[in-house]
Amino acid sequence: MSNKTPDDSLTKPYKGPQSYQSHDAGLFFGREMEAEKLLSKILSSRFSLLHAQSGAGKTSLLNARIIPQLEQRGWLPVRILPQNDPIESTWRSTLQALLPPLETETKAIKRAIEKLAEEGEDLSLDELLRRYDDLPDRSAAKRELIAPMDLDETVGKQYEQWLGGGKVTPFFCRLLRATSEIRALNDHLGFFMKNPTDDPLTGKTPVSQILCLCADPRQLEGYKALLAQLEAKNPLWGLLEKFENLFEVYATKGISLKLTLIFDQFEEMFTRFIDPGQLKVEIQDIPDWRLRWRFFDELQALYFRGYGDAHSAEFDGDASLSALPLRYVVSMRSEWISRLDGIARFAPDIVPNAYHLDLLVKETARQAIQEPARQYGFGYENSLYDKIIDDLCKEMRFVEPTHLQIVCEKLWDARGRQLAGDLQQKANIDSLLPMPECTLVELEVYQNLDGAAGILKAFLLDYLEGLVKDEKLTAIEMLEPLVTVSGTRNIVDYEQLIHSPFRKAESTLENSSNENNAITSLDWSSDFIQHRKNCLANLINRNIVRMENRLGGQFVEITHEFLIDPIRKEVSRELYSDLSRRNFRQALIVLSHCEAMSLGIDMDEDFGQADFRAIIDYSDQISWSHWACELMLRRAIEYGTGKAVLGKWLELYESLASSEDVFETALVQLARIEQEKRFDLTLGFKQFQAINSRREQLSNLSLGIVEVIFRSQLRHAKDAHRTDIVYWSRRFYEQ
């Protein structure tokens, strides 16, 4: 062993709101039984399902337990996210897992040498691995040396056409964390030379020799040639042809290959790939929904090919083909499993091989607190264990893993880091003896932080303070409706949070002057919608809110009652501390309510003079619809506001009077109604007029949309529109 002192600076024993990764496996506790049961299902069946509620820790379980254990059993796991093209993502993720660039192997070996060897020392592979194993688990180096590598930082864009972007795990990292054997690294490095002459790698091989092998120009040339060979040149090739080619290439080299495709966050197949309806209006930037069904079809072909026979009457395959060594795992939120018919129709084994991951129970929650701390040489007073679990416990039984991690991370910063850094008592780390009192985090520390409620409050405030002002105000605006007036958790429709009515993209709710207040119009901005979607996604990722599928729609709620009080205080401080701003927001709520009740102009009785005045003060921050502008013009006439104010509203009303603009606005509104299934709404007078003027362009409408237009006709039409009433009545009747 060299005299070089490795980097023993302490990492965190807890992950906070972040998911565990494969290199965090040594700190992941409390899920041993769940991992064993899930792994058993994966190994015994070709198609398995992992499902749980949001925040239960599905991704952490896969990364820190399932992926390493599959590797140890000879299966190469490939974690796949749907992204905007699930077919492309499946193939790119497979290449990244199977063929990390040789440059990443070189970098991984060099960083290990830098940490573990003296300058100029040429270690054998066995010695390098032994020195890695000797690093204490709490050492930052131990996790740093097995961490994945960013492709852009390591190899730039030279392999982007084959691998895409993101991070890859070199085979050398798998060797360090003992989930792979030297044979796998030898196969990987010996794959690319056309005429390899070197002896196979063994534990006695000098590390310098491995570095030379990685940097050999013939290796690099062979690596690129293999990527080109695996990349489908035939544009008609799907996943089946690509994977058949992949296994054939490896078989010719005598390399046994077994893959497990893990489709994580699979609910995105249904939340990301959405049919906007028969009205050809693009409401938001979403990928083509047909990709979902195309992906299911390709997965079906790949799945049936794995049987090696004509498993299904629908599959016109070659019964003589040998089976592909593939396993499939789908991981998703429980509320979406009813949408898996597209897979269950060809893979019925997914149903009996479904595993539900519950929240932590009290006993496993205690392990998740205790075991990482033990590795770092400290612990907690028994009364503190009980207090943490009791404060976070739901239904007297369950604890949400992310909340537990946030609390423990705060206690680490407040006291645990000091104890671990000062004591460094390896005997206590490795033994099962009780911790001495001097190494225990005291209950008083927890109480000084105001317990779990105070820690979660500080977590929320720290997150909000880290945002720029516009993002912070947007986040607080989205949190506001998630708490009721009486101070309880509220459930709000996802689309309602995303599509903030009448709001401009550039609006930040800053005080505006009552003078020179220009009244402008802005069509619904896709950038604004994307901004709010990103904000909500960040709140979900930080486990401040969760999104679930209920009552046929997507709904959002905060994750814990402890967040209610700080949310209410932030809303009051940021949104309602200024009287004029408060009045504006209340008036905007009334205006939105009037429109939601009915898009007809005759349903605006609740919008009074005070609301009208408050809206005028902030009119430049509103994206004006034809309906809202007409309402404001009517109120300006009714209240006798003076010639200047009346002239502004008249000018805006006239600028929005174009039949083309109204028609497009009506199409957007109908598309939203179709998407949200709110067929009880009606269109405004000008909107249904524009629809009638160009109704020949609206073919193949759904029954619900025809009903909306028909109801709008009955609400607004006069005798002069009798022909239109008959037209839409007949279309409604015929459907």
Side-chain angles (χ1 to χ4, degrees):
M1 180 71 178
S2 73
N3 295 325
K4 182 174 182 178
T5 302
D7 182 5
D8 283 334
S9 60
L10 297 176
T11 58
K12 297 187 302 183
Y14 305 104
K15 293 292 290 183
Q18 299 176 344
S19 296
Y20 282 79
Q21 303 301 316
S22 295
H23 56 284
D24 298 316
L27 299 174
F28 187 73
F29 294 94
R31 292 297 198 185
E32 284 70 23
M33 181 182 67
E34 291 87 343
E36 182 179 341
K37 290 182 177 179
L38 177 59
L39 186 66
S40 175
K41 288 182 176 293
I42 294 173
L43 294 176
S44 63
S45 173
R46 297 184 60 241
F47 223 123
S48 306
L49 169 65
L50 169 65
H51 64 99
Q53 73 171 60
S54 175
K58 301 180 294 297
T59 297
S60 293
L61 178 64
L62 290 172
N63 287 340
R65 281 290 178 268
I66 300 303
I67 286 177
Q69 291 186 24
L70 283 171
E71 289 179 352
Q72 290 173 349
R73 287 162 174 79
W75 288 87
L76 181 64
V78 181
R79 181 172 174 262
I80 302 160
L81 299 177
Q83 302 183 19
N84 284 340
D85 187 338
I87 299 173
E88 182 78 3
S89 181
T90 298
W91 181 241
R92 298 297 173 216
S93 298
T94 300
L95 291 183
Q96 287 182 5
L98 186 59
L99 292 168
L102 294 173
E103 292 88 341
T104 65
E105 303 291 348
T106 298
K107 186 175 180 179
I109 295 171
K110 285 183 176 180
R111 73 182 180 185
I113 293 174
E114 181 182 349
K115 294 288 185 182
L116 301 173
E118 295 285 357
E119 184 176 354
E121 187 179 17
D122 190 8
L123 301 177
S124 68
L125 185 55
D126 275 345
E127 177 63 16
L128 191 69
L129 296 178
R130 187 184 68 79
R131 293 189 186 185
Y132 174 81
D133 291 338
D134 287 344
L135 290 176
D137 290 331
R138 65 182 182 277
S139 170
K142 189 143 195 177
R143 284 156 68 186
E144 176 189 335
L145 295 181
I146 59 174
M149 292 188 173
D150 187 272
L151 282 172
D152 287 344
E153 295 178 359
T154 309
V155 298
K157 302 291 185 181
Q158 61 175 315
Y159 304 121
E160 186 177 25
Q161 60 176 314
W162 299 297
L163 302 180
K167 294 185 176 183
V168 298
T169 299
F171 276 85
F172 185 76
C173 294
R174 298 171 185 151
L175 190 60
L176 286 177
R177 70 187 190 203
T179 60
S180 182
E181 299 177 353
I182 296 178
R183 175 183 55 81
L185 179 62
N186 185 74
D187 288 344
H188 180 57
L189 297 181
F191 198 88
F192 312 113
M193 271 192 202
K194 296 180 181 178
N195 297 304
T197 58
D198 296 323
D199 294 331
L201 302 179
T202 68
K204 296 181 180 180
T205 302
V207 177
S208 60
Q209 181 178 328
I210 303 176
L211 285 175
C212 291
L213 185 61
C214 292
D216 191 313
R218 295 175 299 169
Q219 287 281 82
L220 298 174
E221 180 183 349
Y223 176 77
K224 290 183 179 180
L226 177 62
L227 287 176
Q229 182 182 1
L230 293 177
E231 186 63 41
K233 296 180 180 179
N234 188 333
L236 298 180
W237 272 16
L239 290 178
L240 173 59
E241 292 81 6
K242 290 182 177 181
F243 276 94
E244 284 180 332
N245 182 43
L246 172 68
F247 283 106
E248 181 180 349
V249 168
Y250 270 76
T252 59
K253 295 285 187 176
I255 297 178
S256 175
L257 183 63
K258 298 187 296 182
L259 300 179
T260 301
L261 306 183
I262 302 175
F263 300 99
D264 198 9
Q265 300 177 22
F266 202 71
E267 65 273 1
E268 289 189 10
M269 294 298 302
F270 310 103
T271 61
R272 187 185 290 252
F273 300 90
I274 302 172
D275 182 5
Q278 296 173 351
L279 294 165
K280 306 304 180 184
V281 177
E282 187 173 335
I283 303 175
Q284 46 188 319
D285 184 18
I286 56 176
D288 190 341
W289 61 271
R290 288 177 285 259
L291 278 172
R292 183 195 335 135
W293 290 106
R294 196 178 307 156
F295 170 70
F296 285 173
D297 289 341
E298 296 220 11
L299 197 61
Q300 174 179 337
L302 190 62
Y303 178 79
F304 285 150
R305 171 65 170 81
Y307 276 102
D309 56 25
H311 178 70
S312 169
E314 299 179 4
F315 178 59
D316 186 20
D318 185 350
S320 65
L321 295 175
S322 60
L324 296 180
L326 283 169
R327 291 282 187 270
Y328 310 85
V329 181
V330 165
S331 175
M332 65 191 304
R333 297 204 305 265
S334 294
E335 63 268 21
W336 289 97
I337 60 176
S338 61
R339 301 288 299 275
L340 287 178
D341 290 347
I343 290 180
R345 62 185 170 86
F346 67 82
D349 49 337
I350 194 174
V351 177
N353 283 285
Y355 183 76
H356 176 249
L357 180 66
D358 219 328
L359 299 176
L360 294 168
V361 296
K362 289 185 176 182
E363 180 180 351
T364 55
R366 188 182 180 97
Q367 295 174 11
I369 301 172
Q370 185 179 50
E371 294 305 323
R374 182 183 296 278
Q375 293 192 13
Y376 281 66
F378 72 99
Y380 300 81
E381 292 182 350
N382 285 330
S383 58
L384 180 51
Y385 283 121
D386 297 337
K387 184 61 175 172
I388 293 173
I389 294 173
D390 288 345
D391 284 351
L392 293 177
C393 199
K394 299 179 178 180
E395 300 178 2
M396 301 178 66
R397 177 177 175 84
F398 298 111
V399 176
E400 193 157 330
T402 304
H403 292 155
L404 185 70
Q405 289 292 318
I406 291 171
V407 169
C408 290
E409 182 184 44
K410 189 67 174 181
L411 290 171
W412 161 257
D413 290 333
R415 182 68 170 139
R417 187 190 305 273
Q418 177 187 350
L419 293 175
D422 290 346
L423 299 176
Q424 299 277 325
Q425 294 182 0
K426 191 175 186 302
N428 289 330
I429 297 173
D430 293 340
S431 71
L432 297 179
L433 296 175
M435 293 289 175
E437 292 185 3
C438 59
T439 61
L440 300 180
V441 177
E442 305 86 355
L443 176 61
E444 181 183 1
V445 175
Y446 181 72
Q447 293 172 333
N448 290 339
L449 294 170
D450 293 330
I455 292 172
L456 292 180
K457 174 184 176 180
F459 172 74
L460 171 65
L461 297 181
D462 288 345
Y463 170 73
L464 293 176
E465 289 302 318
L467 302 175
V468 298
K469 187 165 187 180
D470 182 59
E471 293 176 347
K472 179 180 179 181
L473 289 172
T474 301
I476 295 173
E477 276 190 349
M478 301 182 85
L479 290 171
E480 179 187 14
L482 300 179
V483 177
T484 67
V485 176
S486 59
T488 59
R489 284 197 291 182
N490 193 23
I491 303 174
V492 180
D493 180 81
Y494 172 81
E495 293 296 332
Q496 181 181 339
L497 288 177
I498 295 301
H499 298 95
S500 180
F502 305 114
R503 292 297 305 283
K504 277 188 180 180
E506 66 269 25
S507 172
T508 59
L509 282 180
E510 287 295 312
N511 284 325
S512 59
S513 171
N514 293 345
E515 299 179 359
N516 301 321
N517 216 3
I519 303 174
T520 57
S521 171
L522 181 70
D523 289 337
W524 190 262
S525 168
S526 60
D527 291 339
F528 180 44
I529 295 175
Q530 190 60 49
H531 170 70
R532 294 180 69 86
K533 288 175 66 176
N534 292 340
C535 178
L536 185 55
N538 289 334
L539 290 170
I540 293 173
N541 290 337
R542 299 291 288 182
N543 208 50
I544 294 170
V545 304
R546 70 165 56 92
M547 184 168 64
E548 296 184 357
N549 194 49
R550 302 180 183 180
L551 305 175
Q554 291 178 274
F555 293 85
V556 180
E557 64 178 348
I558 60 174
T559 57
H560 204 286
E561 288 80 0
F562 288 155
L563 298 172
I564 291 175
D565 183 60
I567 288 175
R568 296 179 74 181
K569 290 181 178 178
E570 285 299 296
V571 167
S572 177
R573 184 169 67 89
E574 294 290 344
L575 303 184
Y576 292 110
S577 58
D578 180 85
L579 181 60
S580 63
R581 185 188 303 171
R582 181 194 311 169
N583 292 339
F584 164 68
R585 289 184 55 78
Q586 292 174 341
L588 201 60
I589 292 173
V590 174
L591 184 64
S592 303
H593 176 73
C594 291
E595 186 180 51
M597 291 298 293
S598 172
L599 295 177
I601 204 68
D602 57 341
M603 297 293 290
D604 59 10
E605 294 88 347
D606 294 334
F607 191 77
Q609 188 168 1
D611 298 318
F612 173 76
R613 298 290 183 186
I615 290 291
I616 287 180
D617 292 344
Y618 289 86
S619 58
D620 63 326
Q621 297 183 6
I622 295 178
S623 176
W624 289 102
S625 67
H626 295 82
W627 177 88
C629 187
E630 182 177 345
L631 173 61
M632 294 296 288
L633 178 58
R634 287 170 177 258
R635 287 295 183 263
I637 296 172
E638 179 180 351
Y639 298 141
T641 56
K643 197 169 183 179
V645 174
L646 181 60
K648 287 182 179 181
W649 289 108
L650 181 58
E651 180 182 353
L652 176 59
Y653 185 69
E654 288 177 342
S655 71
L656 298 177
S658 164
S659 175
E660 180 72 23
D661 290 342
V662 178
F663 180 73
E664 293 298 329
T665 301
L667 288 185
V668 171
Q669 184 63 49
L670 288 174
R672 288 181 186 163
I673 290 173
E674 177 81 71
Q675 185 181 17
E676 299 174 19
K677 309 300 181 187
R678 299 179 63 187
F679 300 121
D680 57 328
L681 298 179
T682 57
L683 297 174
F685 179 77
K686 288 186 176 295
Q687 289 178 326
F688 94 81
Q689 276 189 317
I691 290 291
N692 280 326
S693 68
R694 301 171 62 178
R695 64 193 183 197
E696 69 280 355
Q697 300 180 18
L698 301 177
S699 59
N700 300 322
L701 297 179
S702 69
L703 176 61
I705 291 299
V706 172
E707 181 181 354
V708 169
I709 299 175
F710 176 46
R711 188 184 299 108
S712 302
Q713 298 289 331
L714 295 179
R715 177 180 294 277
H716 302 297
K718 310 299 181 184
D719 287 344
H721 304 103
R722 188 172 300 171
T723 303
D724 297 328
I725 295 177
V726 171
Y727 173 84
W728 290 106
S729 298
R730 182 163 296 281
R731 284 194 65 168
F732 182 68
Y733 171 76
E734 290 175 352
Q735 285 191 256

